[in-house]
Amino acid sequence: MHPKTQQLIERVGVLSETEGLPRIAGRIFGLLLVTPGECSLDDMAETLGVSKASISTDARRLEQYGIVVRTSRPGDRRDYYAIAPNALRESLEKKIRGMRLFLDILRDARELPDADAEVRDRIDEWEAWHVDAIERMTTTLENATRPRVTSARRR
């Protein structure tokens, strides 16, 4: 594997840590992102230089998040993983759900009897920001059904 590809996979791992995922989960995602088709657990463990048990745990975690899908092949007992076809949509929908839950908390916080004007103003600002972000993200999801221009078509 080219060193730039290895570096990119590591960058995805580090970024994923900032989102609350283990670094290895991000590295798996990064590897699958730049790998055509699917990868076996054995291939991922060897390529990333980590144990198969670690790969298995975090591949299942990514599967639960809807980022990857697990497949199998007839006559082969191994599991294979690939980027889920709807991973982008699933990821954005999950973020919107989380933001809506936080919006509910903000609305409850506004009603706290001991919240002074400074706190209420802060809560109002956060609420307005979340409402706007949710609307924009929802619009993005609705528009996501349109065909996208790929880099091959741009040339």
Side-chain angles (χ1 to χ4, degrees), residues 53-106:
S54 179
I55 293 289
S56 178
T57 298
D58 284 303
R60 284 193 311 270
R61 182 188 325 268
L62 292 172
E63 183 180 21
Q64 290 172 342
Y65 283 130
I67 296 170
V68 302
V69 291
R70 182 174 23 163
T71 61
S72 62
R73 297 177 182 166
D76 188 344
R77 294 172 48 192
R78 294 182 293 175
D79 288 332
Y80 294 84
Y81 288 86
I83 299 291
N86 58 348
L88 291 170
R89 176 175 284 282
E90 289 287 328
S91 175
L92 190 52
E93 286 174 347
K94 183 176 191 246
K95 287 188 185 305
I96 291 170
R97 284 191 300 274
M99 291 180 76
R100 283 187 174 136
L101 290 172
F102 191 64
L103 186 58
D104 289 341
I105 292 169
L106 289 169

Side-chain angles (χ1 to χ4, degrees), residues 1-10 31 34 47:
M1 178 179 299
H2 194 279
K4 285 189 176 190
T5 303
Q6 290 174 327
Q7 185 181 30
L8 183 131
I9 290 168
E10 188 60 27
L31 175 62
V34 299
T47 302

Side-chain angles (χ1 to χ4, degrees), residues 79-138:
D79 288 332
Y80 294 84
Y81 288 86
I83 299 291
N86 58 348
L88 291 170
R89 176 175 284 282
E90 289 287 328
S91 175
L92 190 52
E93 286 174 347
K94 183 176 191 246
K95 287 188 185 305
I96 291 170
R97 284 191 300 274
M99 291 180 76
R100 283 187 174 136
L101 290 172
F102 191 64
L103 186 58
D104 289 341
I105 292 169
L106 289 169
R107 289 176 175 156
D108 288 344
R110 188 185 314 113
E111 303 302 322
L112 293 173
D114 56 348
D116 65 13
E118 177 185 346
V119 170
R120 281 192 299 277
D121 287 346
R122 180 183 310 130
I123 291 168
D124 289 345
E125 179 182 357
W126 278 64
E127 180 182 357
W129 190 92
H130 276 72
V131 166
D132 186 52
I134 290 168
E135 286 175 6
R136 290 172 189 267
M137 293 166 76
T138 300

Side-chain angles (χ1 to χ4, degrees), residues 14 32 51 78 120 154-155:
V14 171
L32 293 175
S51 72
R78 294 182 293 175
R120 281 192 299 277
R154 282 187 219 146
R155 292 181 187 158

